[in-house]
Amino acid sequence: VRGELRVKLHNPDSEMLEQHPEVILRGPGTLAERPAQIRTTHMHRRGLLLVAITGCGDRDAATALRGAELCVARTALPQLPEGEHYLVDLIGLQAQRPDGSIVGTVEETIAYPASQVLRVLTDEGTWEIPWLAPYVVEIKLDAGVVIVDHLDDLEIEPLRRRPSS
């Protein structure tokens, strides 16, 4: 009613949007990325934040932003200790087995209630690889590689192919 946006948090424990009012608004769809200013925030329920941004004052304006993303600039993120990584840094890494054979490419990270997974795209389909030992062995950001193992314990989701006409 007042133009507040319901924002699903990728990390329900994060307070980044509350601490950094200068954000980047992406989308939705073909709309360009642009800076935005957060006026107010308050928790609606776990993992869902109500956010009011400058220039979005009514239901119609909020509805027009459905599907958009609110992002904090990379420079606002705290420096991580050695061996820790932001999930966004893993997207695009090449997944390899310990012997160096290529599995595929990290397409996204997914936080399920029971675990976090790396979704790895291959020629045959996708793996959802749990982010824990013995599946994720090592992350080598500088080399652009994540070492994964024990994939025989997991099922691959086959690619859906469109029927040829």
Side-chain angles (χ1 to χ4, degrees):
V1 175
R2 296 179 306 250
E4 288 182 318
L5 308 173
R6 287 187 307 185
V7 177
K8 181 180 177 190
L9 300 173
H10 288 287
N11 176 358
D13 296 325
S14 175
E15 297 176 351
M16 290 299 289
L17 290 178
E18 293 141 309
Q19 296 171 353
H20 296 279
E22 303 287 330
V23 295
I24 300 163
L25 183 64
R26 284 191 186 142
T30 59
L31 288 180
E33 182 176 291
R34 63 185 190 272
Q37 179 77 29
I38 293 179
R39 293 180 301 151
T40 62
T41 65
H42 58 278
M43 193 59 67
H44 180 63
R45 61 176 184 255
R46 177 144 172 85
L48 194 63
L49 191 67
L50 293 179
V51 176
I53 63 172
T54 302
C56 184
D58 60 29
R59 181 187 306 258
D60 292 337
T63 300
L65 293 174
R66 181 170 284 158
E69 293 181 301
L70 278 180
C71 305
V72 175
R74 179 67 184 226
T75 56
L77 300 176
Q79 188 69 29
L80 294 176
E82 185 71 28
E84 290 190 21
H85 316 282
Y86 285 109
L87 297 177
V88 69
D89 294 336
L90 304 178
I91 297 170
L93 293 184
Q94 184 179 73
Q96 296 179 356
R97 294 182 188 264
D99 67 5
S101 60
I102 297 171
V103 175
T105 304
V106 177
E107 184 179 52
E108 67 178 311
T109 61
I110 303 171
Y112 290 119
S115 69
Q116 195 145 12
V117 301
L118 298 178
R119 187 169 175 87
V120 175
L121 180 63
T122 72
D123 291 337
E124 295 82 38
T126 55
W127 295 96
E128 287 193 356
I129 302 172
W131 180 299
L132 49 92
Y135 304 104
V136 175
V137 177
E138 186 178 6
I139 297 167
K140 300 178 180 181
L141 276 183
D142 292 341
V145 171
V146 58
I147 307 297
V148 296
D149 203 3
H150 293 274
L151 299 181
D152 296 338
D153 298 349
L154 306 172
E155 291 185 27
I156 191 167
E157 180 183 324
L159 289 176
R160 295 189 185 123
R161 306 228 188 256
R162 291 189 175 153
S164 55
S165 34

